[in-house]
Amino acid sequence: MTSPQNDPAPQPPPGHTHAHTHSHGPAAPVSRHLRKVIAAVLIPFATAVVVGLIAFWPGGVPDHERTGVGFDRQTQDGKVVQVVKVDCADVNAAQVPPTGDTSTPSGREAVNEQEGECAKATVEVTSGDDKGRKFVEVVQPDAPRQLKEGQGVVVAYAPDAPRDLQYSVIDVNRKIPMALLAGIFALAVVLVGRMRGVMALVALAVSFAVLTLFILPAILQGSNPLVVAVIGASAIMLAALYMCHGVTARTSVAVIGTLISLLLIGLLGSLFIGWASLSGNTDDNTGLIKGLYPDIDMSGLLLAGVIIGSLGVLDDVTVTQTSAVWELHQADPEMGWKGLYRAGIRIGRDHIASVVNTLVLAYAGAALPLLLLFSIAQSSVGTVANSELVAEEIVRTLVGSIGLVASVPVTTVLAALVVSADRTGPGGAQAATAAPARTGRGRRRKTG
């Protein structure tokens, strides 16, 4: 699993900076014996991952009868061709008249439905069998999404409804700005990272392919979510690390450190998800999934999400720590593994502080509307933390953070042991292999 001795890792471009520097040049090669030891660990692991992919590979997403609820609706593209302002009392005449009481949300909504100007939008279906068909959508003045002429929209199709009510606008079409943003991201990565940036994008594509073609369909087919997540995450890890950082001993140590940390996250997640009685079925989306596929283990799906969610940050930590130890060894080849470990762990402590804070803030940011609702209800911290919806995020955050913290000393000690094992001098394995060759020629000349 390692590269030849003269296989240098790609150089970063001049002026390239990053908060966590992953490479500063070619890694010093390790001895042939250590390369064999690393290969003896990683080759069986990689083989097991390939066998797992083959054994659990799904035959696609299983078919089901659409419910027409939430995301499980038939959708088509549409375009707003005309918007006319009308009196809300005219378009809402069939609704129950308001009581005039505006002290409640329903009362205020009822008043708004009878007063003010509404938008009467004519929408044309632009895809599917009914392409060219038009329907009318009425938008209330206080609706969060207002339609404008020429705007692209997403429309839902309900075949069992009366013809005039079969189509309705459910969202705005954001494909163009999203595609443009993705293009800017890809361009920035390539301009700064150059060839390594290109490989990072390829690895990202591979990660999405494994997620959409293997992990999600396999779970829907009824396979154990934890097993599928471990196999899929391992495949993503191998592809991403080796494609981005090269097939070297340094990358192999990062892979081993990531694998050990993932196993720890899996064990802790399984223990505390079961102990805290987290069902994994906490909102409309998970409820819909459970309704469509009753055999899915929702708590296992939660654990799978913890493992996959932790993988990206784990890669960053393990690669950083391994690279730091390699650079320390190149700066002082005479430093023993204990000195390398102590120096590397000092770097790791800074990394731990920033990464753990990043994880907590990321989860808090995603759950901000929920936390705001608890704040409005004036719930105590204990009550908020005890609710299953928040408890899931707490367990997810803490289990992932424990795995990240553990990955620093584990990866650092592995890297220190591996890189310091070849003690022939700055030339590393090259000197180790070259010296016997010269000695052998000397003996032959003396004997001859």
Side-chain angles (χ1 to χ4, degrees):
M1 303 295 294
T2 57
S3 66
Q5 297 167 5
N6 58 353
D7 180 19
Q11 288 279 1
H16 174 74
T17 59
H18 190 277
H20 310 304
T21 305
H22 291 172
S23 178
H24 298 279
V30 296
S31 66
R32 181 170 299 177
H33 172 70
L34 282 176
R35 293 204 303 273
K36 289 181 178 179
V37 171
I38 293 172
V41 174
L42 290 177
I43 289 177
F45 169 63
T47 303
V49 170
V50 173
V51 171
L53 288 172
I54 295 173
F56 287 89
W57 192 266
V61 177
D63 294 329
H64 69 279
E65 185 177 350
R66 290 191 178 272
T67 62
V69 178
F71 290 105
D72 194 40
R73 289 180 282 190
Q74 298 183 41
T75 60
Q76 300 292 345
D77 293 334
K79 183 179 180 181
V80 180
V81 295
Q82 185 182 35
V83 177
V84 179
K85 295 294 184 180
V86 295
D87 191 349
C88 286
D90 294 336
V91 294
N92 295 323
Q95 298 186 12
V96 178
T99 62
D101 181 12
T102 59
S103 61
T104 63
S106 59
R108 289 192 294 271
E109 182 179 349
V111 170
N112 289 333
E113 289 176 354
Q114 296 294 325
E115 299 177 354
E117 277 192 333
C118 292
K120 188 176 182 181
T122 302
V123 182
E124 180 181 353
V125 180
T126 58
S127 66
D129 296 336
D130 288 335
K131 183 177 180 180
R133 179 174 167 180
K134 296 181 180 179
F135 66 95
V136 174
E137 181 87 7
V138 176
V139 183
Q140 303 297 332
D142 58 348
R145 181 178 60 246
Q146 297 293 321
L147 301 179
K148 55 186 179 181
E149 192 170 321
Q151 186 177 35
V153 293
V154 178
V155 298
Y157 175 57
D160 297 331
R163 180 174 175 80
D164 292 342
L165 302 176
Q166 285 182 333
Y167 281 97
S168 60
V169 176
I170 59 171
D171 209 344
V172 173
N173 193 326
R174 305 179 180 88
K175 293 178 182 178
I176 293 178
M178 297 295 284
L180 179 61
L181 182 59
I184 294 173
F185 163 74
L187 181 62
V189 171
V190 172
L191 287 177
V192 176
R194 298 188 184 178
M195 192 60 199
R196 182 160 291 188
V198 173
M199 295 308 297
L201 292 177
V202 174
L204 182 62
V206 171
S207 299
F208 272 106
V210 172
L211 183 64
T212 57
L213 299 179
F214 173 72
I215 296 178
L216 298 180
I219 291 175
L220 291 178
Q221 291 282 9
S223 299
N224 186 299
L226 177 57
V227 175
V228 170
V230 170
I231 295 172
S234 299
I236 291 172
M237 175 184 65
L238 289 171
L241 287 179
Y242 283 118
M243 291 178 70
C244 292
H245 305 287
V247 186
T248 64
R250 179 166 62 186
T251 307
S252 298
V253 172
V255 167
I256 296 174
T258 304
L259 174 61
I260 294 172
S261 302
L262 280 179
L263 292 176
L264 177 61
I265 289 173
L267 291 174
L268 287 175
S270 179
L271 172 63
F272 283 95
I273 287 174
W275 195 2
S277 300
L278 298 178
S279 66
N281 189 0
T282 54
D283 56 25
D284 293 340
N285 294 328
T286 54
L288 179 59
I289 293 172
K290 185 65 175 177
L292 293 174
Y293 301 96
D295 295 333
I296 290 182
D297 179 8
M298 298 304 293
S299 61
L301 187 62
L302 172 62
L303 179 56
V306 172
I307 293 173
I308 295 172
S310 302
L311 178 61
V313 189
L314 267 180
D315 287 353
D316 178 57
V317 173
T318 55
V319 170
T320 297
Q321 286 305 113
T322 306
S323 295
V325 172
W326 243 262
E327 295 300 324
L328 288 167
H329 177 69
Q330 285 186 309
D332 185 3
E334 299 303 318
M335 188 184 299
W337 76 268
K338 291 183 180 179
L340 288 171
Y341 173 78
R342 285 193 294 266
I345 204 67
R346 285 195 294 269
I347 299 172
R349 290 190 186 107
D350 291 335
H351 206 180
I352 287 173
S354 62
V355 168
V356 169
N357 195 46
T358 299
L359 265 186
V360 173
L361 291 179
Y363 285 126
L368 202 57
L370 175 64
L371 296 177
L372 189 61
L373 287 177
F374 279 112
S375 179
I376 292 172
Q378 296 182 346
S379 302
S380 65
V381 175
T383 301
V384 172
N386 190 66
S387 66
E388 184 171 1
L389 199 57
V390 176
E392 278 190 5
E393 299 303 322
I394 292 175
V395 170
R396 191 195 310 270
T397 302
L398 296 182
V399 167
S401 297
I402 291 171
L404 288 173
V405 171
S407 70
V408 171
V410 168
T411 308
T412 304
V413 73
L414 283 173
L417 289 171
V418 169
V419 78
S420 63
D422 189 1
R423 304 299 297 157
T424 58
Q430 271 184 320
T433 54
R438 289 193 297 269
T439 304
R441 287 194 299 269
R443 284 197 301 267
R444 285 193 296 270
R445 286 195 298 269
K446 184 176 181 180
T447 303

